[in-house]
Amino acid sequence: MTGRYSSDSNINVGGLNFSWDIEKGQFLFEQQDAVLFWITSAMKTFFDTIEEISGEDAASLVLEATGFRQGLLVGDYFRELKSVSIPEAAELVPNTYASAGWGRAVVSELDLDKRTLKIRLQNSWEYKINKEQGKKHAGTYLPAHYAGIFSGLFGENLWFKVLESQLEGNDYDLIEYFPSNITVTKNIHELTRNKESEEIRRLENMVEKQTSELKGLVKELSSPIIPVLEGIVVVPLVGRYDSSRGDDMIEKTLYSLPKNQARYLVVDLTGLHLEVDNYTAHMIERLGAAASLIGTEMILVGVSAELGLIMTNSGFNFTKYQCFQTLQHGIYYALAQDGRQIL
């Protein structure tokens, strides 16, 4: 092995103890197990991976919730130390964190009665990571962490607002703290609700798109217009009809009649849903009346005994039209009216 290193495994810096046990691979900070990472490489990769897996919003909330809850442990610890006052803890904690490489923190405007304060953070490890990530706004871990610390110290929930950010070109992050009913739990629930709402909107949009496509397909396939012979057009009615589908069928049929020089419109009711309502019966009457206005006679085919009874009960007047049980009979009738026949 080359190079020089100190054999001293215990160092005191600013009243804080650091020690190593190389054989055990152990680093102790104030007699507690600790770990060291390179900020702009290893820790940046750690943060990047969290965001890649969970998304930026969720990752930010994870850091916020973790920072607050870890800070709450620190605050609760100092509150139980009756010999350390809140102002003393407000000086001790930033100094301890500075020695551990957390950056410089200065507490100001501490009001014990109002439970308010401000903290100035400069060159924190979170700022350095966020800068390497190309972020434009302050992170959430450290602001929430100090909110947790002072929530523990005061025994009351505090939250924060970032007033200035070092990432935005300021000399430091300036964070304001105050009593609030905002909690990490509420924020987690809110993110969950937002995610659920986004997923619901996505599914609704997908259903709406597929429904629209399906309606378009149904519109193309339903009630096709079939010019079977010269002057004779067949339109089969299939399934149920509502106002939208019915109006489309009537319009489509009426435009096709002059184009095909149709003298006879054979409407096949074989595929019509047996639960015929007043709308469907009225729709067929409208189609017949409109066709007659342009010189086309409507012939009804596929009228079974059951369908005939249902339509009669709905008020449909069969006497206006020639009706046949089969399509073949309807076509034969139309040909006969012009003195033609199928040989």
Side-chain angles (χ1 to χ4, degrees):
M1 179 181 292
T2 61
R4 300 178 60 188
Y5 64 93
S6 172
S7 61
D8 189 355
S9 61
N10 294 280
I11 300 175
N12 186 287
V13 179
L16 297 169
N17 292 312
F18 299 84
S19 59
W20 293 261
D21 188 325
I22 303 302
E23 294 298 324
K24 293 182 179 180
Q26 187 179 38
F27 167 57
L28 298 178
F29 173 49
E30 284 291 284
Q31 289 78 52
Q32 296 291 324
D33 279 318
V35 64
L36 299 175
F37 284 107
W38 284 284
I39 291 175
T40 58
S41 54
M43 287 298 293
K44 175 185 177 296
T45 301
F46 177 70
F47 275 46
D48 288 342
T49 304
I50 292 177
E51 289 188 6
E52 180 183 356
I53 295 173
S54 60
E56 188 171 347
D57 290 342
S60 178
L61 185 56
V62 167
L63 293 171
E64 178 185 276
T66 303
F68 182 89
R69 288 170 176 170
Q70 289 180 343
L72 195 60
L73 294 175
V74 175
D76 288 341
Y77 168 78
F78 277 102
R79 187 175 58 177
E80 292 174 2
L81 295 177
K82 304 301 182 182
S83 59
V84 179
S85 66
I86 293 178
E88 289 173 337
E91 290 187 11
L92 181 59
V93 171
N95 290 335
T96 302
Y97 283 12
S99 65
W102 283 45
R104 188 62 184 164
V106 177
V107 177
S108 63
E109 301 181 34
L110 177 62
D111 190 319
L112 300 181
D113 295 326
K114 294 181 180 180
R115 305 287 202 268
T116 58
L117 66 141
K118 290 181 180 177
I119 295 180
R120 188 171 69 239
L121 293 176
Q122 191 173 38
N123 298 328
S124 69
W125 57 263
E126 187 173 26
Y127 159 73
K128 294 173 183 176
I129 292 174
N130 290 161
K131 184 178 180 182
E132 287 294 318
Q133 290 179 304
K135 297 292 180 66
K136 303 299 181 182
H137 305 288
T140 56
Y141 179 91
L142 284 176
H145 184 73
Y146 281 101
I149 291 174
F150 284 93
S151 293
L153 287 171
F154 284 122
E156 179 180 354
N157 189 76
L158 268 63
W159 203 242
F160 65 90
K161 180 179 181 181
V162 178
L163 303 179
E164 297 179 18
S165 169
Q166 200 170 353
L167 285 171
E168 295 175 1
N170 296 288
D171 293 334
Y172 45 75
D173 294 341
L174 181 61
I175 307 154
E176 180 181 28
Y177 294 87
F178 44 84
S180 174
N181 59 3
I182 298 174
T183 65
V184 292
T185 301
K186 286 185 178 180
N187 287 346
I188 291 171
H189 290 167
E190 182 178 352
L191 179 66
T192 301
R193 287 193 297 269
N194 289 341
K195 291 293 184 182
E196 289 174 350
S197 297
E198 289 175 6
E199 181 63 13
I200 289 172
R201 284 194 294 271
R202 186 187 70 82
L203 292 175
E204 286 177 342
N205 291 335
M206 183 176 69
V207 170
E208 184 177 350
K209 180 182 178 183
Q210 290 182 342
T211 301
S212 177
E213 292 174 353
L214 182 59
K215 284 182 178 178
L217 181 61
V218 169
K219 185 179 290 187
E220 289 180 13
L221 297 180
S222 65
S223 305
I225 298 165
I226 309 169
V228 292
L229 292 168
E230 182 183 351
I232 302 174
V233 168
V234 174
V235 173
L237 301 186
V238 181
R240 296 176 182 270
Y241 284 83
D242 56 18
S243 59
S244 175
R245 190 178 176 212
D247 290 346
D248 181 72
M249 182 275 295
I250 291 174
E251 180 180 353
K252 185 178 176 182
T253 301
L254 292 177
Y255 274 115
S256 73
L257 296 179
K259 176 182 176 181
N260 292 283
Q261 298 181 342
R263 293 182 298 278
Y264 298 97
L265 169 62
V266 182
V267 177
D268 189 353
L269 307 181
T270 306
L272 193 65
H273 198 282
L274 286 180
E275 293 182 8
V276 176
D277 54 18
N278 289 334
Y279 172 79
T280 304
H282 179 61
M283 176 192 73
I284 296 172
E285 285 187 304
R286 284 173 55 209
L287 176 60
S292 67
L293 291 176
I294 57 176
T296 303
E297 179 184 344
M298 185 171 75
I299 301 170
L300 299 180
V301 301
V303 183
S304 64
E306 184 179 11
L307 180 60
L309 180 61
I310 293 172
M311 292 188 69
T312 300
N313 290 336
S314 70
F316 186 85
N317 186 4
F318 281 96
T319 61
K320 297 180 181 179
Y321 312 103
Q322 294 295 327
C323 301
F324 301 93
Q325 283 190 334
T326 68
L327 176 61
Q328 183 181 19
H329 288 145
I331 293 174
Y332 282 162
Y333 169 81
L335 287 172
Q337 299 310 297
D338 287 344
R340 297 181 292 166
Q341 61 180 338
I342 297 177
L343 300 177

